[in-house]
Amino acid sequence: MTSTDLKKAGLKATMPRLRVFQILEENHKRHMSAEDVYKALIDSGEDVGLATVYRVLTQFEAAGLIARHHFGDGHSVFELDHGGHHDHILCVKCGRVDEFIDETIEQRQREIARNAGYEMTDHALYIYGICNSCRNK
Amino acid sequence: MTSTDLKKAGLKATMPRLRVFQILEENHKRHMSAEDVYKALIDSGEDVGLATVYRVLTQFEAAGLIARHHFGDGHSVFELDHGGHHDHILCVKCGRVDEFIDETIEQRQREIARNAGYEMTDHALYIYGICNSCRNK
DNA sequence: ATCAAAATGAGAATCTTTTTCATCTGAGTT
DNA sequence: AACTCAGATGAAAAAGATTCTCATTTTGAT
């Protein structure tokens, strides 16, 4: 992420924006909430407001730089939009999140949307379960 | 829904519980939020508190009488658990909701969970799109 | 009818997210 | 490097959804 990238998205290259992006890069394996990002920023000595974090995350989402997910526990989590679309499988015990992509399902979804008379714009699939290590406890 | 049904679920047969269930039955084609149910109750002349509606809906969900969904707009909606599991396709313009069930997808989900080492407990699939009538406007 | 346990209503509290607004900053322009 | 101003920011207030607290009421078994 460079100032140039931000300008392409119609956003000024400000310090909070650069830093929010850095935090997401450093944590690219996790799914972070706005609060998580905010805390990471504060811990790193940055002086940002929570409202700015929310604003920046929403702008990044609109610009297609990051993806927002609703895992069902009431708040949004974000991740860098590396590697395009994928779905999630979550452990209801420990909160672990794995990702997957299944072409059969993608295909069927498009057919279902078409049959129902919809022009599909997006979709979200969450599988909830108990992961291996939680099952062996 | 009878008093006996409630007792089977380990819940006392109280007036708010019976009435919440009735409201959901009367609106079985819609997906209602807690607020929707509350307003319907008030409009019907019932004297209930919003907190009670939330409590009762949560209890009904735990008892398997109703299903809770998160359509991504920040609040939960509920529907009677008639006819078992199904997934949803939503219009992002008008909010219309259609339901579907696809055995191919159900099947693949079970396989994906197994391959990822998860014991699947639940899943949610939302397709977002623009419905026929919104497209022709 | 009696009584303990469970349930309720009202309002306070909590949590996440958005809005308001006065101040500050980025990035073209002199 | 100084000038300018639209856009961006932080702090605090506000909003929206949901949960909690607690005094009071109701249920269901006796």
Short mmCIF file of all heavy atoms in Angstrom, two decimals, chain A residues 70 72 89-92 96 98 100 102 104-105 108-109 112-113 116-132 135, chain B residues 70 72 89-92 96-98 100 102 104-105 108-109 112-113 116-132 135:
data_model
loop_
_atom_site.label_atom_id
_atom_site.label_comp_id
_atom_site.label_asym_id
_atom_site.label_seq_id
_atom_site.Cartn_x
_atom_site.Cartn_y
_atom_site.Cartn_z
N HIS A 70 -19.49 -10.87 8.48
CA HIS A 70 -20.32 -10.90 9.69
C HIS A 70 -20.35 -12.36 10.15
O HIS A 70 -21.08 -13.16 9.59
CB HIS A 70 -21.74 -10.44 9.38
CG HIS A 70 -21.79 -9.11 8.72
ND1 HIS A 70 -21.78 -7.92 9.44
CD2 HIS A 70 -21.84 -8.76 7.41
CE1 HIS A 70 -21.82 -6.91 8.58
NE2 HIS A 70 -21.87 -7.39 7.36
N GLY A 72 -21.55 -13.53 12.75
CA GLY A 72 -22.73 -13.88 13.53
C GLY A 72 -22.63 -13.52 14.99
O GLY A 72 -23.55 -13.74 15.74
N ILE A 89 -15.19 -21.26 7.41
CA ILE A 89 -15.66 -22.30 8.31
C ILE A 89 -15.13 -21.96 9.70
O ILE A 89 -13.94 -21.69 9.86
CB ILE A 89 -15.24 -23.71 7.84
CG1 ILE A 89 -15.76 -24.78 8.77
CG2 ILE A 89 -13.75 -23.82 7.62
CD1 ILE A 89 -15.74 -26.17 8.15
N LEU A 90 -16.02 -21.88 10.68
CA LEU A 90 -15.66 -21.37 12.00
C LEU A 90 -15.89 -22.39 13.10
O LEU A 90 -16.90 -23.10 13.08
CB LEU A 90 -16.50 -20.15 12.34
CG LEU A 90 -16.44 -18.93 11.44
CD1 LEU A 90 -17.44 -19.04 10.30
CD2 LEU A 90 -16.71 -17.69 12.25
N CYS A 91 -14.99 -22.41 14.06
CA CYS A 91 -15.18 -23.27 15.23
C CYS A 91 -16.01 -22.51 16.27
O CYS A 91 -15.62 -21.42 16.69
CB CYS A 91 -13.86 -23.70 15.84
SG CYS A 91 -14.11 -24.75 17.29
N VAL A 92 -17.12 -23.11 16.68
CA VAL A 92 -17.99 -22.43 17.63
C VAL A 92 -17.44 -22.49 19.05
O VAL A 92 -17.93 -21.79 19.94
CB VAL A 92 -19.42 -23.03 17.61
CG1 VAL A 92 -20.07 -22.79 16.25
CG2 VAL A 92 -19.40 -24.51 17.93
N ARG A 96 -11.71 -20.36 16.07
CA ARG A 96 -10.83 -20.55 14.93
C ARG A 96 -11.59 -20.36 13.61
O ARG A 96 -12.76 -20.72 13.50
CB ARG A 96 -10.25 -21.97 14.99
CG ARG A 96 -9.45 -22.34 13.76
CD ARG A 96 -8.85 -23.73 13.90
NE ARG A 96 -8.36 -24.18 12.59
CZ ARG A 96 -7.64 -25.28 12.42
NH1 ARG A 96 -7.36 -26.06 13.45
NH2 ARG A 96 -7.23 -25.61 11.21
N ASP A 98 -11.27 -20.96 9.39
CA ASP A 98 -10.55 -21.45 8.21
C ASP A 98 -11.29 -20.96 6.97
O ASP A 98 -12.47 -20.64 7.02
CB ASP A 98 -10.48 -22.98 8.23
CG ASP A 98 -9.47 -23.48 9.25
OD1 ASP A 98 -8.28 -23.17 9.09
OD2 ASP A 98 -9.88 -24.16 10.21
N PHE A 100 -12.12 -21.43 2.70
CA PHE A 100 -12.18 -22.40 1.61
C PHE A 100 -12.89 -21.79 0.42
O PHE A 100 -13.55 -20.75 0.53
CB PHE A 100 -12.91 -23.67 2.06
CG PHE A 100 -14.38 -23.47 2.32
CD1 PHE A 100 -15.31 -23.62 1.29
CD2 PHE A 100 -14.84 -23.11 3.58
CE1 PHE A 100 -16.67 -23.42 1.52
CE2 PHE A 100 -16.20 -22.90 3.81
CZ PHE A 100 -17.11 -23.05 2.78
N ASP A 102 -15.08 -23.38 -3.02
CA ASP A 102 -15.56 -24.60 -3.65
C ASP A 102 -16.32 -24.25 -4.93
O ASP A 102 -17.37 -23.61 -4.87
CB ASP A 102 -16.48 -25.35 -2.68
CG ASP A 102 -16.92 -26.69 -3.26
OD1 ASP A 102 -17.91 -26.71 -4.02
OD2 ASP A 102 -16.24 -27.69 -2.98
N THR A 104 -17.94 -26.04 -7.03
CA THR A 104 -19.28 -26.64 -7.16
C THR A 104 -20.34 -25.76 -6.52
O THR A 104 -21.39 -25.48 -7.11
CB THR A 104 -19.31 -28.02 -6.47
OG1 THR A 104 -18.27 -28.83 -7.00
CG2 THR A 104 -20.65 -28.69 -6.69
N ILE A 105 -20.03 -25.28 -5.32
CA ILE A 105 -20.99 -24.43 -4.62
C ILE A 105 -21.16 -23.10 -5.32
O ILE A 105 -22.27 -22.61 -5.51
CB ILE A 105 -20.56 -24.24 -3.15
CG1 ILE A 105 -20.73 -25.56 -2.38
CG2 ILE A 105 -21.38 -23.14 -2.48
CD1 ILE A 105 -20.35 -25.51 -0.92
N ARG A 108 -23.44 -23.63 -8.26
CA ARG A 108 -24.84 -23.83 -7.88
C ARG A 108 -25.48 -22.53 -7.43
O ARG A 108 -26.64 -22.26 -7.71
CB ARG A 108 -24.96 -24.87 -6.75
CG ARG A 108 -24.74 -26.29 -7.18
CD ARG A 108 -25.79 -26.76 -8.19
NE ARG A 108 -27.14 -26.84 -7.65
CZ ARG A 108 -28.24 -26.56 -8.33
NH1 ARG A 108 -28.17 -26.16 -9.58
NH2 ARG A 108 -29.42 -26.69 -7.76
N GLN A 109 -24.73 -21.71 -6.74
CA GLN A 109 -25.28 -20.43 -6.28
C GLN A 109 -25.70 -19.56 -7.45
O GLN A 109 -26.77 -18.96 -7.43
CB GLN A 109 -24.24 -19.69 -5.44
CG GLN A 109 -24.07 -20.29 -4.08
CD GLN A 109 -23.05 -19.55 -3.23
OE1 GLN A 109 -23.15 -19.51 -2.02
NE2 GLN A 109 -22.05 -18.97 -3.87
N ILE A 112 -28.90 -20.97 -8.78
CA ILE A 112 -30.05 -20.70 -7.89
C ILE A 112 -30.50 -19.25 -8.05
O ILE A 112 -31.69 -18.98 -8.17
CB ILE A 112 -29.65 -20.99 -6.43
CG1 ILE A 112 -29.51 -22.50 -6.23
CG2 ILE A 112 -30.69 -20.41 -5.47
CD1 ILE A 112 -28.75 -22.89 -4.98
N ALA A 113 -29.54 -18.33 -8.07
CA ALA A 113 -29.88 -16.92 -8.23
C ALA A 113 -30.62 -16.72 -9.54
O ALA A 113 -31.67 -16.07 -9.59
CB ALA A 113 -28.62 -16.07 -8.18
N ALA A 116 -34.11 -17.99 -9.48
CA ALA A 116 -35.01 -17.20 -8.64
C ALA A 116 -35.24 -15.81 -9.22
O ALA A 116 -35.93 -14.99 -8.62
CB ALA A 116 -34.44 -17.09 -7.22
N GLY A 117 -34.65 -15.55 -10.38
CA GLY A 117 -34.86 -14.27 -11.03
C GLY A 117 -33.97 -13.16 -10.49
O GLY A 117 -34.26 -11.99 -10.66
N TYR A 118 -32.91 -13.54 -9.82
CA TYR A 118 -32.02 -12.53 -9.23
C TYR A 118 -30.75 -12.38 -10.06
O TYR A 118 -30.26 -13.35 -10.64
CB TYR A 118 -31.59 -12.94 -7.82
CG TYR A 118 -32.61 -12.69 -6.74
CD1 TYR A 118 -33.73 -13.51 -6.61
CD2 TYR A 118 -32.44 -11.66 -5.82
CE1 TYR A 118 -34.66 -13.30 -5.61
CE2 TYR A 118 -33.36 -11.45 -4.81
CZ TYR A 118 -34.46 -12.26 -4.71
OH TYR A 118 -35.37 -12.05 -3.70
N GLU A 119 -30.24 -11.16 -10.06
CA GLU A 119 -28.91 -10.93 -10.62
C GLU A 119 -27.97 -10.90 -9.41
O GLU A 119 -27.98 -9.96 -8.63
CB GLU A 119 -28.91 -9.59 -11.36
CG GLU A 119 -27.57 -9.22 -11.95
CD GLU A 119 -27.62 -7.79 -12.52
OE1 GLU A 119 -28.67 -7.43 -13.09
OE2 GLU A 119 -26.63 -7.06 -12.34
N MET A 120 -27.19 -11.94 -9.24
CA MET A 120 -26.38 -12.08 -8.03
C MET A 120 -25.31 -11.01 -7.95
O MET A 120 -24.59 -10.75 -8.90
CB MET A 120 -25.74 -13.46 -7.99
CG MET A 120 -24.95 -13.73 -6.72
SD MET A 120 -24.56 -15.49 -6.50
CE MET A 120 -22.90 -15.54 -7.15
N THR A 121 -25.20 -10.36 -6.78
CA THR A 121 -24.16 -9.36 -6.59
C THR A 121 -23.12 -9.82 -5.58
O THR A 121 -21.98 -9.36 -5.61
CB THR A 121 -24.76 -8.03 -6.08
OG1 THR A 121 -25.46 -8.28 -4.86
CG2 THR A 121 -25.73 -7.46 -7.10
N ASP A 122 -23.52 -10.71 -4.72
CA ASP A 122 -22.59 -11.14 -3.68
C ASP A 122 -23.19 -12.35 -2.97
O ASP A 122 -24.36 -12.68 -3.15
CB ASP A 122 -22.40 -10.01 -2.66
CG ASP A 122 -21.19 -10.24 -1.79
OD1 ASP A 122 -20.38 -11.14 -2.12
OD2 ASP A 122 -21.03 -9.53 -0.79
N HIS A 123 -22.39 -12.98 -2.17
CA HIS A 123 -22.94 -14.07 -1.36
C HIS A 123 -22.01 -14.36 -0.20
O HIS A 123 -20.83 -13.96 -0.22
CB HIS A 123 -23.13 -15.32 -2.19
CG HIS A 123 -21.85 -15.89 -2.72
ND1 HIS A 123 -21.14 -16.83 -2.07
CD2 HIS A 123 -21.14 -15.60 -3.83
CE1 HIS A 123 -20.06 -17.12 -2.76
NE2 HIS A 123 -20.02 -16.37 -3.83
N ALA A 124 -22.54 -14.99 0.81
CA ALA A 124 -21.75 -15.30 2.00
C ALA A 124 -22.14 -16.67 2.49
O ALA A 124 -23.33 -16.98 2.62
CB ALA A 124 -22.03 -14.26 3.08
N LEU A 125 -21.16 -17.49 2.73
CA LEU A 125 -21.41 -18.84 3.23
C LEU A 125 -20.58 -19.07 4.47
O LEU A 125 -19.36 -18.91 4.44
CB LEU A 125 -21.06 -19.87 2.15
CG LEU A 125 -21.02 -21.33 2.58
CD1 LEU A 125 -22.34 -21.77 3.20
CD2 LEU A 125 -20.70 -22.22 1.39
N TYR A 126 -21.23 -19.39 5.56
CA TYR A 126 -20.52 -19.68 6.80
C TYR A 126 -20.89 -21.07 7.26
O TYR A 126 -22.07 -21.39 7.39
CB TYR A 126 -20.91 -18.68 7.89
CG TYR A 126 -20.63 -17.24 7.51
CD1 TYR A 126 -21.65 -16.36 7.25
CD2 TYR A 126 -19.31 -16.80 7.38
CE1 TYR A 126 -21.38 -15.03 6.89
CE2 TYR A 126 -19.03 -15.50 7.02
CZ TYR A 126 -20.07 -14.62 6.78
OH TYR A 126 -19.80 -13.32 6.40
N ILE A 127 -19.88 -21.89 7.48
CA ILE A 127 -20.11 -23.20 8.07
C ILE A 127 -19.64 -23.12 9.52
O ILE A 127 -18.53 -22.64 9.79
CB ILE A 127 -19.33 -24.31 7.32
CG1 ILE A 127 -19.80 -24.40 5.87
CG2 ILE A 127 -19.49 -25.65 8.03
CD1 ILE A 127 -19.06 -25.44 5.04
N TYR A 128 -20.49 -23.53 10.43
CA TYR A 128 -20.13 -23.52 11.85
C TYR A 128 -19.94 -24.97 12.31
O TYR A 128 -20.67 -25.86 11.88
CB TYR A 128 -21.24 -22.88 12.68
CG TYR A 128 -21.54 -21.46 12.26
CD1 TYR A 128 -22.55 -21.18 11.35
CD2 TYR A 128 -20.79 -20.40 12.76
CE1 TYR A 128 -22.81 -19.87 10.94
CE2 TYR A 128 -21.04 -19.09 12.36
CZ TYR A 128 -22.05 -18.84 11.45
OH TYR A 128 -22.30 -17.55 11.04
N GLY A 129 -18.97 -25.19 13.15
CA GLY A 129 -18.73 -26.55 13.62
C GLY A 129 -17.74 -26.56 14.76
O GLY A 129 -17.40 -25.53 15.32
N ILE A 130 -17.31 -27.78 15.09
CA ILE A 130 -16.32 -27.93 16.16
C ILE A 130 -15.05 -28.45 15.51
O ILE A 130 -15.06 -29.51 14.87
CB ILE A 130 -16.83 -28.89 17.24
CG1 ILE A 130 -18.17 -28.37 17.80
CG2 ILE A 130 -15.80 -29.05 18.34
CD1 ILE A 130 -18.87 -29.37 18.68
N CYS A 131 -13.97 -27.73 15.69
CA CYS A 131 -12.74 -28.09 14.99
C CYS A 131 -12.07 -29.28 15.66
O CYS A 131 -12.41 -29.68 16.77
CB CYS A 131 -11.78 -26.91 14.93
SG CYS A 131 -10.93 -26.57 16.47
N ASN A 132 -11.13 -29.82 14.94
CA ASN A 132 -10.44 -31.03 15.35
C ASN A 132 -9.89 -30.96 16.77
O ASN A 132 -10.17 -31.82 17.60
CB ASN A 132 -9.29 -31.27 14.38
CG ASN A 132 -9.18 -32.73 14.01
OD1 ASN A 132 -9.30 -33.58 14.89
ND2 ASN A 132 -9.01 -33.01 12.75
N ARG A 135 -12.49 -30.87 19.47
CA ARG A 135 -13.20 -32.15 19.61
C ARG A 135 -12.40 -33.12 20.47
O ARG A 135 -12.94 -33.94 21.19
CB ARG A 135 -13.46 -32.75 18.23
CG ARG A 135 -14.59 -33.74 18.24
CD ARG A 135 -15.52 -33.53 17.06
NE ARG A 135 -14.92 -32.80 15.97
CZ ARG A 135 -14.02 -33.30 15.12
NH1 ARG A 135 -13.65 -34.56 15.22
NH2 ARG A 135 -13.52 -32.56 14.17
N HIS B 70 -29.06 -13.62 10.43
CA HIS B 70 -28.37 -12.33 10.37
C HIS B 70 -28.24 -11.98 8.90
O HIS B 70 -27.37 -12.51 8.23
CB HIS B 70 -26.99 -12.43 11.00
CG HIS B 70 -27.01 -12.98 12.39
ND1 HIS B 70 -27.23 -12.19 13.49
CD2 HIS B 70 -26.86 -14.24 12.85
CE1 HIS B 70 -27.21 -12.94 14.58
NE2 HIS B 70 -26.98 -14.19 14.22
N GLY B 72 -27.24 -9.34 7.66
CA GLY B 72 -26.12 -8.46 7.36
C GLY B 72 -26.43 -6.99 7.58
O GLY B 72 -25.57 -6.14 7.36
N ILE B 89 -32.09 -15.97 -0.20
CA ILE B 89 -31.60 -15.09 -1.25
C ILE B 89 -32.32 -13.77 -1.08
O ILE B 89 -33.54 -13.73 -0.93
CB ILE B 89 -31.81 -15.73 -2.65
CG1 ILE B 89 -31.31 -14.82 -3.75
CG2 ILE B 89 -33.26 -16.14 -2.90
CD1 ILE B 89 -31.10 -15.56 -5.07
N LEU B 90 -31.54 -12.69 -1.00
CA LEU B 90 -32.09 -11.39 -0.64
C LEU B 90 -31.86 -10.35 -1.73
O LEU B 90 -30.80 -10.31 -2.33
CB LEU B 90 -31.42 -10.86 0.62
CG LEU B 90 -31.53 -11.69 1.89
CD1 LEU B 90 -30.39 -12.68 1.99
CD2 LEU B 90 -31.47 -10.76 3.09
N CYS B 91 -32.84 -9.49 -1.92
CA CYS B 91 -32.68 -8.38 -2.85
C CYS B 91 -32.07 -7.20 -2.10
O CYS B 91 -32.61 -6.75 -1.10
CB CYS B 91 -34.01 -7.97 -3.46
SG CYS B 91 -33.82 -6.57 -4.60
N VAL B 92 -30.94 -6.72 -2.62
CA VAL B 92 -30.25 -5.62 -1.94
C VAL B 92 -30.96 -4.28 -2.17
O VAL B 92 -30.64 -3.28 -1.51
CB VAL B 92 -28.78 -5.52 -2.40
CG1 VAL B 92 -28.03 -6.75 -1.97
CG2 VAL B 92 -28.66 -5.31 -3.89
N ARG B 96 -36.53 -7.72 -0.38
CA ARG B 96 -37.27 -8.97 -0.55
C ARG B 96 -36.40 -10.17 -0.17
O ARG B 96 -35.18 -10.17 -0.39
CB ARG B 96 -37.69 -9.08 -2.03
CG ARG B 96 -38.29 -10.41 -2.37
CD ARG B 96 -38.75 -10.45 -3.83
NE ARG B 96 -39.09 -11.81 -4.19
CZ ARG B 96 -39.64 -12.15 -5.35
NH1 ARG B 96 -39.90 -11.22 -6.25
NH2 ARG B 96 -39.91 -13.41 -5.59
N VAL B 97 -37.02 -11.18 0.40
CA VAL B 97 -36.29 -12.38 0.82
C VAL B 97 -36.97 -13.61 0.24
O VAL B 97 -38.18 -13.78 0.41
CB VAL B 97 -36.26 -12.50 2.36
CG1 VAL B 97 -35.50 -13.75 2.77
CG2 VAL B 97 -35.63 -11.27 2.99
N ASP B 98 -36.22 -14.44 -0.45
CA ASP B 98 -36.75 -15.73 -0.90
C ASP B 98 -35.96 -16.83 -0.24
O ASP B 98 -34.84 -16.62 0.22
CB ASP B 98 -36.66 -15.83 -2.43
CG ASP B 98 -37.70 -14.97 -3.12
OD1 ASP B 98 -38.89 -15.23 -2.91
OD2 ASP B 98 -37.32 -14.02 -3.85
N PHE B 100 -34.62 -21.00 -0.25
CA PHE B 100 -34.35 -22.14 -1.13
C PHE B 100 -33.58 -23.19 -0.35
O PHE B 100 -33.05 -22.94 0.72
CB PHE B 100 -33.53 -21.71 -2.36
CG PHE B 100 -32.13 -21.27 -2.04
CD1 PHE B 100 -31.09 -22.19 -1.99
CD2 PHE B 100 -31.86 -19.94 -1.75
CE1 PHE B 100 -29.79 -21.80 -1.68
CE2 PHE B 100 -30.57 -19.54 -1.44
CZ PHE B 100 -29.55 -20.46 -1.41
N ASP B 102 -30.90 -26.49 -1.43
CA ASP B 102 -30.23 -27.15 -2.54
C ASP B 102 -29.39 -28.30 -2.00
O ASP B 102 -28.42 -28.09 -1.26
CB ASP B 102 -29.33 -26.14 -3.27
CG ASP B 102 -28.71 -26.75 -4.50
OD1 ASP B 102 -27.65 -27.41 -4.35
OD2 ASP B 102 -29.27 -26.61 -5.59
N THR B 104 -27.36 -30.32 -3.42
CA THR B 104 -25.96 -30.36 -3.87
C THR B 104 -25.08 -29.54 -2.94
O THR B 104 -24.01 -29.98 -2.51
CB THR B 104 -25.84 -29.77 -5.30
OG1 THR B 104 -26.73 -30.46 -6.16
CG2 THR B 104 -24.42 -29.89 -5.80
N ILE B 105 -25.56 -28.34 -2.61
CA ILE B 105 -24.77 -27.48 -1.73
C ILE B 105 -24.69 -28.06 -0.33
O ILE B 105 -23.62 -28.09 0.29
CB ILE B 105 -25.37 -26.05 -1.71
CG1 ILE B 105 -25.14 -25.38 -3.06
CG2 ILE B 105 -24.75 -25.23 -0.59
CD1 ILE B 105 -25.68 -23.96 -3.16
N ARG B 108 -22.07 -30.76 -0.37
CA ARG B 108 -20.71 -30.25 -0.46
C ARG B 108 -20.25 -29.64 0.85
O ARG B 108 -19.10 -29.77 1.26
CB ARG B 108 -20.60 -29.19 -1.58
CG ARG B 108 -20.60 -29.75 -2.98
CD ARG B 108 -19.40 -30.66 -3.24
NE ARG B 108 -18.13 -29.97 -3.24
CZ ARG B 108 -16.99 -30.49 -2.78
NH1 ARG B 108 -16.98 -31.71 -2.27
NH2 ARG B 108 -15.88 -29.81 -2.85
N GLN B 109 -21.18 -28.97 1.53
CA GLN B 109 -20.82 -28.36 2.81
C GLN B 109 -20.38 -29.41 3.81
O GLN B 109 -19.40 -29.23 4.53
CB GLN B 109 -22.01 -27.58 3.37
CG GLN B 109 -22.25 -26.29 2.63
CD GLN B 109 -23.42 -25.51 3.18
OE1 GLN B 109 -23.44 -24.30 3.12
NE2 GLN B 109 -24.41 -26.19 3.69
N ILE B 112 -16.92 -30.48 2.85
CA ILE B 112 -15.92 -29.45 3.16
C ILE B 112 -15.61 -29.45 4.66
O ILE B 112 -14.45 -29.41 5.07
CB ILE B 112 -16.41 -28.07 2.71
CG1 ILE B 112 -16.41 -28.00 1.19
CG2 ILE B 112 -15.56 -26.96 3.31
CD1 ILE B 112 -17.27 -26.88 0.62
N ALA B 113 -16.66 -29.52 5.47
CA ALA B 113 -16.46 -29.53 6.92
C ALA B 113 -15.62 -30.74 7.32
O ALA B 113 -14.65 -30.62 8.07
CB ALA B 113 -17.81 -29.55 7.64
N ALA B 116 -12.02 -30.39 6.42
CA ALA B 116 -11.31 -29.40 7.21
C ALA B 116 -11.18 -29.85 8.67
O ALA B 116 -10.65 -29.12 9.50
CB ALA B 116 -12.03 -28.06 7.14
N GLY B 117 -11.69 -31.05 8.97
CA GLY B 117 -11.56 -31.57 10.33
C GLY B 117 -12.61 -31.05 11.28
O GLY B 117 -12.44 -31.12 12.50
N TYR B 118 -13.69 -30.52 10.75
CA TYR B 118 -14.74 -29.97 11.60
C TYR B 118 -15.93 -30.92 11.68
O TYR B 118 -16.25 -31.61 10.72
CB TYR B 118 -15.26 -28.65 11.02
CG TYR B 118 -14.40 -27.45 11.27
CD1 TYR B 118 -13.21 -27.27 10.57
CD2 TYR B 118 -14.77 -26.49 12.20
CE1 TYR B 118 -12.42 -26.14 10.79
CE2 TYR B 118 -14.00 -25.36 12.42
CZ TYR B 118 -12.83 -25.20 11.72
OH TYR B 118 -12.06 -24.09 11.94
N GLU B 119 -16.56 -30.90 12.83
CA GLU B 119 -17.85 -31.56 12.97
C GLU B 119 -18.89 -30.46 12.80
O GLU B 119 -19.06 -29.62 13.67
CB GLU B 119 -17.95 -32.19 14.37
CG GLU B 119 -19.26 -32.88 14.63
CD GLU B 119 -19.30 -33.37 16.08
OE1 GLU B 119 -18.25 -33.81 16.59
OE2 GLU B 119 -20.38 -33.25 16.70
N MET B 120 -19.57 -30.47 11.68
CA MET B 120 -20.47 -29.37 11.34
C MET B 120 -21.67 -29.32 12.28
O MET B 120 -22.31 -30.34 12.54
CB MET B 120 -20.96 -29.50 9.90
CG MET B 120 -21.82 -28.35 9.45
SD MET B 120 -22.05 -28.29 7.64
CE MET B 120 -23.59 -29.16 7.48
N THR B 121 -21.96 -28.14 12.81
CA THR B 121 -23.12 -27.99 13.69
C THR B 121 -24.20 -27.14 13.03
O THR B 121 -25.37 -27.25 13.37
CB THR B 121 -22.72 -27.31 15.01
OG1 THR B 121 -22.13 -26.05 14.72
CG2 THR B 121 -21.74 -28.17 15.77
N ASP B 122 -23.79 -26.30 12.11
CA ASP B 122 -24.76 -25.40 11.49
C ASP B 122 -24.10 -24.72 10.30
O ASP B 122 -22.88 -24.80 10.13
CB ASP B 122 -25.20 -24.33 12.51
CG ASP B 122 -26.45 -23.61 12.07
OD1 ASP B 122 -27.09 -24.07 11.10
OD2 ASP B 122 -26.79 -22.57 12.68
N HIS B 123 -24.91 -24.05 9.53
CA HIS B 123 -24.33 -23.27 8.44
C HIS B 123 -25.34 -22.25 7.98
O HIS B 123 -26.53 -22.37 8.26
CB HIS B 123 -23.90 -24.16 7.29
CG HIS B 123 -25.04 -24.86 6.64
ND1 HIS B 123 -25.71 -24.36 5.56
CD2 HIS B 123 -25.65 -26.02 6.94
CE1 HIS B 123 -26.67 -25.18 5.21
NE2 HIS B 123 -26.67 -26.20 6.05
N ALA B 124 -24.84 -21.24 7.30
CA ALA B 124 -25.70 -20.17 6.82
C ALA B 124 -25.21 -19.74 5.45
O ALA B 124 -24.01 -19.51 5.26
CB ALA B 124 -25.67 -18.99 7.79
N LEU B 125 -26.13 -19.66 4.52
CA LEU B 125 -25.77 -19.23 3.17
C LEU B 125 -26.71 -18.12 2.75
O LEU B 125 -27.93 -18.28 2.79
CB LEU B 125 -25.89 -20.42 2.20
CG LEU B 125 -25.80 -20.11 0.70
CD1 LEU B 125 -24.51 -19.38 0.37
CD2 LEU B 125 -25.89 -21.39 -0.10
N TYR B 126 -26.13 -16.99 2.41
CA TYR B 126 -26.93 -15.85 1.95
C TYR B 126 -26.45 -15.46 0.56
O TYR B 126 -25.25 -15.23 0.36
CB TYR B 126 -26.77 -14.66 2.90
CG TYR B 126 -27.18 -14.96 4.32
CD1 TYR B 126 -26.23 -15.04 5.33
CD2 TYR B 126 -28.51 -15.21 4.63
CE1 TYR B 126 -26.61 -15.34 6.64
CE2 TYR B 126 -28.90 -15.51 5.93
CZ TYR B 126 -27.94 -15.57 6.93
OH TYR B 126 -28.31 -15.88 8.21
N ILE B 127 -27.40 -15.42 -0.36
CA ILE B 127 -27.08 -14.91 -1.69
C ILE B 127 -27.70 -13.53 -1.78
O ILE B 127 -28.88 -13.36 -1.44
CB ILE B 127 -27.65 -15.83 -2.80
CG1 ILE B 127 -27.02 -17.22 -2.71
CG2 ILE B 127 -27.41 -15.20 -4.17
CD1 ILE B 127 -27.54 -18.20 -3.77
N TYR B 128 -26.90 -12.54 -2.18
CA TYR B 128 -27.41 -11.18 -2.33
C TYR B 128 -27.48 -10.86 -3.81
O TYR B 128 -26.62 -11.27 -4.59
CB TYR B 128 -26.48 -10.18 -1.64
CG TYR B 128 -26.30 -10.46 -0.16
CD1 TYR B 128 -25.25 -11.23 0.30
CD2 TYR B 128 -27.23 -9.97 0.75
CE1 TYR B 128 -25.11 -11.50 1.65
CE2 TYR B 128 -27.09 -10.23 2.10
CZ TYR B 128 -26.03 -11.00 2.56
OH TYR B 128 -25.89 -11.27 3.89
N GLY B 129 -28.53 -10.15 -4.21
CA GLY B 129 -28.66 -9.81 -5.62
C GLY B 129 -29.76 -8.80 -5.83
O GLY B 129 -30.26 -8.21 -4.88
N ILE B 130 -30.10 -8.60 -7.10
CA ILE B 130 -31.17 -7.67 -7.44
C ILE B 130 -32.29 -8.49 -8.04
O ILE B 130 -32.09 -9.23 -9.01
CB ILE B 130 -30.66 -6.62 -8.44
CG1 ILE B 130 -29.46 -5.89 -7.84
CG2 ILE B 130 -31.78 -5.64 -8.79
CD1 ILE B 130 -28.75 -4.99 -8.82
N CYS B 131 -33.45 -8.38 -7.42
CA CYS B 131 -34.56 -9.25 -7.86
C CYS B 131 -35.16 -8.75 -9.16
O CYS B 131 -34.89 -7.64 -9.62
CB CYS B 131 -35.63 -9.33 -6.78
SG CYS B 131 -36.67 -7.87 -6.66
N ASN B 132 -35.97 -9.61 -9.73
CA ASN B 132 -36.57 -9.36 -11.03
C ASN B 132 -37.26 -8.00 -11.13
O ASN B 132 -36.98 -7.21 -12.02
CB ASN B 132 -37.60 -10.45 -11.31
CG ASN B 132 -37.49 -10.95 -12.73
OD1 ASN B 132 -37.37 -10.15 -13.65
ND2 ASN B 132 -37.47 -12.25 -12.90
N ARG B 135 -34.95 -5.03 -11.01
CA ARG B 135 -34.14 -4.91 -12.22
C ARG B 135 -34.93 -4.21 -13.33
O ARG B 135 -34.38 -3.50 -14.15
CB ARG B 135 -33.69 -6.29 -12.68
CG ARG B 135 -32.47 -6.25 -13.54
CD ARG B 135 -31.45 -7.28 -13.12
NE ARG B 135 -32.05 -8.37 -12.37
CZ ARG B 135 -32.74 -9.36 -12.92
NH1 ARG B 135 -32.93 -9.40 -14.20
NH2 ARG B 135 -33.23 -10.30 -12.14
#
